[in-house]
Amino acid sequence: MKTTVSIIKADIGSVGGHAVTHQKLKDKCNEYLSNAKEEGLLTDFYITNCGDDIDMIMTHTNGTDNEEVHKLAFDTFMAGAEVAKGLKLYGAGQDLLSDTFSGNIKGMGPGSAEMEFKERGSDPVFAYCCDKTEPGAFNLPLFRMFADPFNTAGLVIDPSLHGGFDFEVYDVIENRKVVMSCPDEMYDLLALIGSTGRYVIKRIFRRSDNEIAAAVSTDKLNLMAGKYIGKDDPVAIVRSQSGFPAGGETSEPFAFPHLVSGWMRGSHNGPLMPVSQADARPVRFDGPPRVIGLGFQVSEAKLIGPVDMFADPAFDDARNTATKVANYMRRHGPFEPHRLPADEMEYTSLPGVLEKLEDRFEDM
Ligand code: 13P
Ligand code: 13P
Ligand code: MG
Ligand code: MG
Ligand code: MG
């Protein structure tokens, strides 16, 4: 029997503008998922949030892209959005692009990351969930986990990882994908994934046996909707230990709060701050962008745990660095590279300004 881990997430409304979702929305999600567990569709679930995004971490035995599981997530978020509308929450139903389900949640607004595997003797699985950023935010930490020996000692000293990993990369602009192997094609891989707004790591497989190691939600909400409607606030599932990076090798990349896009109005760059679940409240200038980490043991498709990874005070220094970087970036105000380039902004007044000035521009 194989186990499936599905994280399906959406922003269906929040309090304090785009700050934090409301407990009543999580209660509604809990009601729907509890029923599904009783009926046997789900084996287990854990609901959390990073800022205004609700993350439903679900385990079952129905495989990935299962219509019933996807419909459950869709119906759950629709019901939650009704509660949000009743409370006049901000952005009620924000990420729901359609009101009718058509077989798969992909392309309907919510983000999804899923993987199916045969459980090992013990199967540690980590969920990393973000707010105020985009799927490409995981490119750097995932590269570090699965390809950088200065992060993951196991790549060098553990024979079961020594063969390296395959990276499946999506080109979200041209809608195509490519698989690249590390360490052999490391420089070519980096040439792509350094462009975080376009090339996004979707899945990672162990080369020796093609076993799934990681999966990311790559849904580009803005591209689906044809216009910017908030960032995609991604999630990642990462397997660990015994042939995969150790638990602490999966969290270690987040000790460097790297710059990501998606802060304030989806239009600014800022540091990705690793925080506990309690501190997943992005309020300073609607940020800075956040990531939470939850460590589970998956046992007969049940979720044991979680450990709140970034509640560890050893990440205090990363948070202090993120705050210093946030101060520095904020001083740029509306200037790049704090503000995103015009073509990547969620909001832009530029076309209107240019139109107004059209008659006043002269050739030089
Ligand atoms: P323990 O001895 O605590 O099991 O440590 C194993 C390990 O090296 C984890 O990285
Ligand atoms: P969300 O995608 O988290 O709703 O972000 C909206 C935003 O840009 C707030 O400044
Ligand atoms: Mg929002
Ligand atoms: Mg959000
Ligand atoms: Mg969003």
Side-chain angles (χ1 to χ4, degrees), residues 72-334:
L72 167 68
F74 183 79
D75 291 345
T76 303
F77 286 136
M78 288 297 281
E82 283 310 308
V83 177
K85 283 173 195 157
L87 296 168
K88 287 182 70 177
L89 296 191
Y90 199 72
Q94 176 182 286
D95 287 355
L96 304 175
L97 302 183
S98 166
D99 49 20
T100 38
F101 182 72
S102 60
N104 194 298
I105 200 124
K106 281 180 202 151
M108 307 198 74
S112 62
E114 300 189 282
M115 61 166 66
E116 185 186 31
F117 53 84
K118 189 171 184 326
E119 284 182 24
R120 297 168 289 166
S122 177
D123 227 300
V125 172
F126 292 81
Y128 290 103
C129 310
C130 300
D131 190 26
K132 304 299 181 271
T133 187
E134 60 178 4
F138 279 119
N139 284 3
L140 187 153
L142 284 173
F143 175 82
R144 288 242 165 102
M145 287 176 217
F146 289 95
D148 180 358
F150 281 77
N151 180 85
T152 297
L155 292 166
V156 179
I157 66 177
D158 181 346
S160 67
L161 282 81
H162 202 73
F165 290 86
D166 283 333
F167 290 71
E168 181 185 49
V169 176
Y170 278 12
D171 172 350
V172 297
I173 304 293
E174 292 281 332
N175 264 319
R176 51 189 190 155
K177 59 183 181 179
V178 61
V179 177
M180 303 176 85
S181 281
C182 273
D184 314 41
E185 299 181 289
M186 179 184 290
Y187 298 162
D188 288 344
L189 175 71
L190 286 168
L192 261 55
I193 64 172
S195 299
T196 48
R198 172 156 189 177
Y199 297 102
V200 180
I201 297 171
K202 177 64 187 174
R203 289 185 297 173
I204 300 173
F205 300 90
R206 186 166 56 203
R207 278 171 79 183
S208 57
D209 56 2
N210 212 33
E211 188 66 19
I212 182 83
V216 180
S217 66
T218 49
D219 312 79
K220 290 284 282 182
L221 199 53
N222 57 314
L223 297 172
M224 287 178 226
K227 62 182 171 72
Y228 260 102
I229 52 161
K231 282 288 176 189
D232 316 289
D233 307 326
V235 295
I237 308 171
V238 182
R239 292 178 76 196
S240 164
Q241 304 287 157
S242 312
F244 298 114
E249 289 168 341
T250 76
S251 56
E252 180 63 10
F254 299 101
F256 166 54
H258 66 298
L259 291 174
V260 299
S261 60
W263 192 3
M264 182 48 83
R265 297 173 185 269
S267 304
H268 293 77
N269 286 312
L272 185 65
M273 183 186 261
V275 292
S276 65
Q277 289 182 97
D279 286 333
R281 291 178 266 109
V283 297
R284 179 178 174 190
F285 196 57
D286 290 1
R290 306 280 150 124
V291 59
I292 59 169
L294 301 174
F296 295 95
Q297 294 296 133
V298 175
S299 170
E300 311 299 335
K302 285 201 157 299
L303 289 167
I304 314 298
V307 168
D308 191 343
M309 298 298 286
F310 301 133
D312 182 351
F315 284 95
D316 284 350
D317 213 38
R319 290 185 271 271
N320 289 337
T321 302
T323 303
K324 283 187 188 130
V325 172
N327 290 339
Y328 175 82
M329 294 300 281
R330 281 300 303 127
R331 289 181 69 182
H332 293 78

